[in-house]
Amino acid sequence: MSGFVSLVGAGPGDPGLLTVAGRDRLAEADVVLYDRLANPALLDHAPATAELIFAGKSPEHKAYSQEEINGLLIQHGKAGKRVVRLKGGDPFVFGRGGEEALALVAAGVPFEVVPGVTSAIAAPAYAGVPVTHRGLASSFAVVTGHEDDEKPESSVDWSGIATAVDTIVVLMGGAALPGVARSLIAGGRPANTPAVSVEWGTTAQQRSVGAPLDGIAQAVKAAGLGTPLLTVIGQVGTLRDHIAWFEGRPLFGKRVLVTRTRRQASALSGLLRREGAIPVELPTLELVPVATDHDLAAMAKRLRAKDYSWCLFTSANAVDFVLGYLERAGHDARVFASCRIGALGSATADALRRYGLRADLIAAEFTSQGLLDAVRATEHHHGSVYALEGAIPDDGVSGARILIPRAEGGNPTLVKGLRDYGADVDELALYESRPPAEIDPEARRQIRDGKIDIATFASSSSISNLASVLGSDDFARLRDVVIACIGPVTSETAREYGLEVQVEPAEHTIPALVAALKEHFARKSPETAT
Ligand code: SAH
């Protein structure tokens, strides 16, 4: 059986600009051949078992010639593999995708093309320049010559292009710009035509400069812009001053330490990326199962026997753990049919909803100042004792049979408080959370070198564990970064570890944490756009 090759556009750099079709192909891939300009974060969409081949050509790597790449595509295609050829931007815009398609045709390997968002349009857009605009530009051209050449390549009709189109997007590095500008001016383009150069467009490393056409090469040099670089030339360049929306965002380009578990990190990292920040993931927790399937089966049996009037979930992890088991064991959410469900925090409630369960009670949305004061110095869990009491006055907590499946060594306040109120509580230890055996050396290096701008913590244990895995010298580097904690308990722990907390959202959720960070930096620098 023959395989199938997908020539997939990776988009211009922002991993959010991959198409849905592109993501689907990656998710099914056996082999992925990717380029230097395809954001490596996209490889996370591929199965862990997929073979990843770096086929890029970079100054350091003369990895594969075009012929060798064609050969690899054909070879894996013929071997029956699902192959994704992931190329920066759009595969047919200066991506040599046409050559690969022709080679596949010649070899009789079936293939498809999944277009991508080209940098030629997206990078100007992220710099605040629309390539067309009513009254300013009704046509655009995308041009390139040879990257390393000091002189623009002769195959491009520069003087023809100079006046034939309104907007010219040049996909070439800074070294080529003096020659390009000279040719265009010689061809009749006014020397004062606005030009904007964009380096690493659409990514958190994006930088851009604007200048008249005859000064753009110098401006790029002065600003030290490197590759990948493109330049958009035309009256639309004047719109940048009004439209530039990306580089001036409060969290743009900030490196943010994300200390959640590997699985939980992605939501926070995704939100940060959307704000133009650079998440640096350093998981400080590892969940190790404690409950055996035997324990869980016993739990499910008692639930189905209507043994419990309440089941309380204190974290999204506990929800995933329990519902994951039920799925594995061939049960479903109906085991909870006869008991009510309490969730600590909205994230836990959200996790339940993903399994089709709506919490009857969501605790720890501190309702009154008195309650807030009472629980401030303790774990959130404490809050749910009060909330529970207030929420079920009819049945009362007294005599209620309550199941609490949660992390081993969880705060005893909840269980003790419920028991004091006369409840009959069963605690089931699901998993143990502990610091990881080793951490990513790259993340450690960035902390050590003072590259981190912001550190985020969503739990007390993420702080204590980070201190233990980093050691005191590296941990001390965090004294110079903005510390953001999800709530008062975590902040208290941060202070115990000598960190000064600058950001703490009123609502204790991950989106609120990101919003609070944005506010913090917006206040610090109201006018950052250049
Ligand atoms: N197929 C790609 C272009 C490949 S040619 C696309 O459709 O985007 C490579 C050139 O594209 C680079 O030399 C640079 O000029 C431009 N380029 C690609 N990504 C870029 C980015 N993120 N920012 C600025 N220029 C980029």
Side-chain angles (χ1 to χ4, degrees), residues 103-168:
L104 291 165
V105 172
V109 176
F111 70 96
E112 66 178 345
V113 182
V114 179
V117 175
T118 179
S119 65
I121 295 171
Y126 272 53
V129 180
V131 291
T132 72
H133 191 78
R134 256 167 86 94
L136 289 183
S138 55
S139 59
F140 68 93
V142 181
V143 199
T144 193
H146 195 272
E147 262 296 320
D148 314 317
D149 231 335
E150 295 287 319
K151 288 199 191 93
E153 186 135 298
S154 49
S155 70
V156 180
D157 176 9
W158 293 100
S159 68
I161 283 168
T163 53
V165 292
D166 297 320
T167 304
I168 303 166

Side-chain angles (χ1 to χ4, degrees), residues 11-13 37 87-95 117-120 123 147 170-173 198-203 227-230:
L37 287 176
K87 305 169 76 79
D90 181 273
F92 280 4
V93 178
F94 303 125
V117 175
T118 179
S119 65
E147 262 296 320
V170 180
L171 269 54
M172 295 174 83
V198 191
E199 177 205 41
W200 279 118
T202 79
T203 73
T227 53
L229 182 96
L230 63 71

Side-chain angles (χ1 to χ4, degrees), residues 43-63:
L43 299 174
D44 290 347
H45 293 303
T49 49
E51 183 185 350
L52 306 176
I53 305 172
F54 178 68
K57 282 155 269 177
S58 68
E60 316 86 57
H61 279 268
K62 264 268 177 273

